[in-house]
Amino acid sequence: LYTAPWLPVTCLFTRRFLIDPRRSDFAWAALSFAMQLLIGEPVTALQTGIILGAYAIHRGWRDGAARGAARAVPMVGAISLTALLLSSIQTIPAIDHLRDSGRGRGMGFAELTEWRTPPLRVAEPLFPAILGRWMLGNNSIFPSGALFGSHPHPLFLSIYAGLAVGVLALAGLLSRMRGALLFAFLALLSAILAFGSYTPLFQFLYETGALRFVRFPEKFLTMGLFAAVVFSACALERLLAGDSRLRRTSMAVAALVSLAALCGAAAAAWLPAYETLLRRLYAIGATEKIYEMVALSQKEWLFAALRGALLFTLLLGVTRVRRPLWLALFFAFVLVDLSPQVREIAPRFPRSFLEQEPPAVRAFPPNRADFRIFPFSDWIRARQQAPRAGLLDDRRYWGMRNELIAQFAGAFGLRTVMDGDLDVSDLHAEHDFTEAVLELTKKEGRPPDWMDIVAAMSNAWFVGIYRTQAEINAMERGIGQQAVRFLERPHFPRYYFATEMATVRDRHEFVRALRSRRFSRQVAFVQQPAFVPAPGRVLAQQESANHARIDVEARGRAFLVMSVTPHKYWRITIDGQEVPAEVTNIGYQGVVVPPGRHVVEMRYSNPLIAVGAAVSAAALLGLLLLVRRS
């Protein structure tokens, strides 16, 4: 959503540059596209590139068949390349990070196609409740949740942009208005990609590697919706200019929408088979709420019929009513049409949801820099193993806020250990550690104090644990109740000396070792040959975002454990001399410390950020010089 607002700006200046190649328009087009790349959401940026490329071919063909296309496509390519260079400070480190992350290992097809769009959803621009209602704050029935796989609701709660957009875009397409072919291509490609595993295309693209790192196919709806909004605006302009063919086609489409909605309402009211149809259409199992669903469906069909009739009346009067009055009536219709949909089109929360401190935060000690919270419940949620809460209303949202989900704890100064990886961008070490801990949750053979050992490794004083479903059901239904409880564990610092060591090659051996025998909470599992560590103590420590200084004292050859995720760009020194870091406890790191007093320093520096910054600065300077010459 941060990326999407730049899409119309990018298209605006690209179009202007293709019509009249001015350097200033080239610069603005490249800068706005670069903003999308800087934000780092790949699917929307990819769709922007597809739109620009398709428009370049369309525009070039209009200007002179293949010769015009041969001119326009390189111009768009130059804009895209410049945007890529401008955003190098983000894209170069991001590509490097990809190799070290979960996405670099590749994602399974099922994981890749989560939140796919059912084909029935293509009717939603004309019938906003075709898949049901999902309104924040109401216990509305969302019957088609089973069509979205493991999620009980769509990624975009609504793709309805107003009946006028749907009717005018479809009418422009049927009347073969200028740009109809471009719109048809973008809309069709958008829908097919959004269908995900509902069609064989996504499987083919996955196997070829073209979409190996792209998640949530429903995001591809953005391209089609944007094209529909622009194309419908062009249709409205032609309608106001007196295009009688377009007016007749628009009236016919609006009438058909109203008639189809009336037939749906009649079927819901009088046909006994309508209930069976709903069950099959939405893959609904046995539920006593089916009658509420039928009643809700009938009401929504009637609303759709009324909207269609009102729009038909407006289109009928476009040549009979004075222009200012007709525009005022049209604007009023759009407001009345979209107002009931706003909470689904753009869900929002009260300011206090973000600013007011959750009650759970007050239960933690005030020295929040000394400890971290082990968000075990988030990991369970990310793996779809949490107690199923069903549809989320206001009460559940406020309760989840009090559970400090995802990065919410950081907003109030609380640190967490390895947040649940919802976007598959975690480092390999983090992934291995979370998988090992999830494996330890299985009851077969695990030690009784396994959680204390894992919490000690992680400098975690508190662990977020899910209540059982029975406990959740027994709780009061008031706002703010939470399904997660935070258990206090024995306190351990971020940096400590190991009292025993064990050698493991991977996370599987790590899990087997913990299940096979009892270990001290100060154990260090390493991949190198283990030794008997001498006692040591941490005298003082100082931390910043990318640097830590630890003053230590060791009685002999000792091993210092650092509860910090290992990465290739950490540089660790002892008394100024660089020493190799060892992966410790699967997800952390440590170093061997010689006898005596020493200063251990950790410093993180990614050289590719400087490289990317230099490329971005050079591209920006070149763009400024190009504009200045004009």
Side-chain angles (χ1 to χ4, degrees):
L1 293 180
Y2 289 108
T3 312
W6 292 98
L7 172 57
V9 184
T10 304
C11 292
L12 166 67
F13 287 108
T14 300
R15 178 177 182 273
R16 285 174 46 156
F17 179 69
L18 292 179
I19 295 171
D20 180 13
R22 291 188 298 178
R23 296 175 182 178
S24 58
D25 288 330
F26 177 91
W28 285 116
L31 281 169
S32 55
F33 197 5
M35 287 301 299
Q36 289 188 307
L37 298 172
L38 279 169
I39 293 167
E41 202 289 297
V43 180
T44 308
L46 174 62
Q47 293 179 87
T48 302
I50 293 173
I51 292 172
L52 296 183
Y55 182 76
I57 295 173
H58 164 76
R59 185 86 203 179
W61 197 268
R62 279 184 50 206
D63 292 345
R67 186 180 63 182
R71 173 178 171 270
V73 171
M75 293 168 74
V76 167
I79 290 173
S80 302
L81 178 60
T82 305
L84 193 62
L85 293 174
L86 287 168
S87 62
S88 293
I89 191 173
Q90 165 75 298
T91 54
I92 290 178
I95 293 170
D96 175 64
H97 173 72
L98 181 65
R99 297 180 299 176
D100 302 326
S101 71
R103 295 203 184 201
R105 289 179 171 176
M107 294 181 285
F109 185 70
E111 184 180 23
L112 202 76
T113 55
E114 285 182 334
W115 263 320
R116 62 193 187 277
T117 287
L120 183 62
R121 197 168 201 196
V122 297
E124 191 171 326
L126 298 176
F127 304 102
I130 192 70
L131 293 177
R133 281 283 182 214
W134 194 94
M135 296 180 66
L136 200 62
N138 294 353
N139 289 317
S140 299
I141 303 165
F142 193 78
S144 60
L147 301 180
F148 294 91
S150 59
H151 303 279
H153 56 78
L155 181 67
F156 298 147
L157 301 185
S158 175
I159 61 170
Y160 185 66
L163 184 61
V165 168
V167 166
L168 290 174
L170 185 56
L173 184 63
L174 294 175
S175 61
R176 288 179 288 183
M177 193 181 79
R178 189 177 74 181
L181 187 62
L182 175 63
F183 167 64
F185 169 77
L186 292 174
L188 185 63
L189 180 63
S190 171
I192 292 176
L193 290 175
F195 291 159
S197 55
Y198 280 111
T199 70
L201 176 63
F202 216 91
Q203 177 81 47
F204 171 76
L205 293 174
Y206 171 77
E207 290 174 355
T208 60
L211 294 178
R212 187 60 61 90
F213 307 112
V214 172
R215 292 184 76 197
F216 305 154
E218 193 163 89
K219 289 181 180 180
F220 282 102
L221 289 174
T222 304
M223 178 167 55
L225 292 172
F226 173 75
V229 170
V230 175
F231 190 58
S232 65
C234 295
L236 177 60
E237 191 173 44
R238 288 183 63 89
L239 191 69
L240 295 174
D243 189 326
S244 58
R245 181 184 178 187
L246 181 61
R247 184 173 69 89
R248 289 194 299 270
T249 307
S250 301
M251 290 170 59
V253 173
L256 286 174
V257 167
S258 186
L259 182 61
L262 283 175
C263 292
W270 296 312
L271 283 183
Y274 189 80
E275 174 191 331
T276 304
L277 177 64
L278 274 189
R279 289 185 185 276
R280 291 183 178 177
L281 204 58
Y282 298 145
I284 302 173
T287 173
E288 59 185 18
K289 291 187 176 182
I290 188 66
Y291 302 107
E292 295 178 57
M293 294 177 185
V294 171
L296 179 64
S297 178
Q298 181 185 2
K299 183 177 70 172
E300 292 295 343
W301 282 125
L302 289 173
F303 283 151
L306 178 60
R307 279 193 296 267
L310 287 175
L311 183 57
F312 175 84
T313 305
L314 270 174
L315 294 171
L316 181 64
V318 69
T319 58
R320 305 178 183 181
V321 180
R322 297 183 61 182
R323 179 65 52 81
L325 177 58
W326 190 89
L327 285 173
L329 292 173
F330 182 79
F331 183 64
F333 169 78
V334 171
L335 286 179
V336 171
D337 180 21
L338 288 179
S339 293
Q341 325 290 333
V342 164
R343 289 197 294 172
E344 294 183 8
I345 296 171
R348 56 199 60 177
F349 295 90
R351 179 186 293 266
S352 57
F353 188 90
L354 297 176
E355 295 183 349
Q356 179 181 315
E357 189 176 74
V361 172
R362 306 184 196 116
F364 295 105
N367 53 325
R368 296 175 184 177
D370 295 340
F371 67 91
R372 293 184 285 182
I373 301 169
F374 202 87
F376 186 58
S377 53
D378 265 6
W379 298 2
I380 299 295
R381 182 184 288 113
R383 290 287 297 271
Q384 306 295 327
Q385 297 172 350
R388 194 175 180 88
L391 295 177
L392 297 176
D393 55 19
D394 276 352
R395 179 183 60 83
R396 290 197 181 103
Y397 260 116
W398 282 86
M400 289 177 69
R401 171 184 180 272
N402 202 33
E403 296 165 15
L404 306 178
I405 63 171
Q407 289 80 31
F408 210 88
F412 302 98
L414 291 168
R415 302 182 181 190
T416 53
V417 179
M418 298 186 181
D419 296 307
D421 183 41
L422 298 175
D423 56 3
V424 196
S425 62
D426 58 349
L427 293 168
H428 293 164
E430 180 180 353
H431 174 80
D432 290 342
F433 184 78
T434 54
E435 288 296 315
V437 174
L438 287 170
E439 183 68 21
L440 283 168
T441 61
K442 299 176 182 178
K443 295 183 179 180
E444 298 84 3
R446 70 183 184 190
D449 60 345
W450 73 274
M451 182 58 78
D452 289 343
I453 295 174
V454 171
M457 293 173 178
S458 308
N459 177 226
W461 295 11
F462 299 89
V463 178
I465 301 290
Y466 262 109
R467 289 185 168 92
T468 64
Q469 190 64 56
E471 290 175 324
I472 295 174
N473 295 338
M475 291 172 65
E476 295 289 334
R477 291 182 57 83
I479 289 178
Q481 294 293 343
Q482 61 196 76
V484 173
R485 63 183 185 273
F486 296 97
L487 302 180
E488 188 169 1
R489 315 306 294 190
H491 296 176
F492 244 76
R494 183 181 290 236
Y495 309 100
Y496 62 90
F497 280 92
T499 57
E500 63 176 316
M501 298 177 67
T503 301
V504 294
R505 287 177 299 178
D506 52 34
R507 65 181 174 88
H508 302 291
E509 286 193 8
F510 174 73
V511 172
R512 284 197 295 269
L514 278 175
R515 284 181 168 170
S516 63
R517 54 167 284 216
R518 300 291 294 273
F519 288 95
S520 162
R521 289 173 188 159
Q522 292 175 255
V523 63
F525 292 94
V526 295
Q527 296 177 348
Q528 305 302 321
F531 61 90
V532 179
R537 61 192 182 113
V538 175
L539 304 175
Q541 67 183 56
Q542 295 176 334
E543 281 186 338
S544 63
N546 60 353
H547 173 260
R549 173 190 167 119
I550 310 109
D551 297 331
V552 301
E553 182 180 34
R555 296 182 185 177
R557 190 183 182 213
F559 192 81
L560 177 66
V561 179
M562 305 162 170
S563 297
V564 177
T565 310
H567 192 258
K568 59 189 177 185
Y569 294 133
W570 275 114
R571 181 173 176 265
I572 302 178
T573 62
I574 297 179
D575 298 330
Q577 298 295 316
E578 187 168 357
V579 295
E582 294 191 27
V583 175
T584 306
N585 299 331
I586 301 300
Y588 301 110
Q589 58 186 341
V591 292
V592 177
V593 178
R597 287 198 171 196
H598 305 281
V599 175
V600 180
E601 288 192 275
M602 304 169 56
R603 192 175 301 277
Y604 186 89
S605 178
N606 186 340
L608 294 181
I609 294 178
V611 172
V615 174
S616 292
L620 183 60
L621 179 61
L623 197 63
L624 290 173
L625 292 174
L626 180 71
V627 173
R628 186 176 181 183
R629 284 186 60 191
S630 67

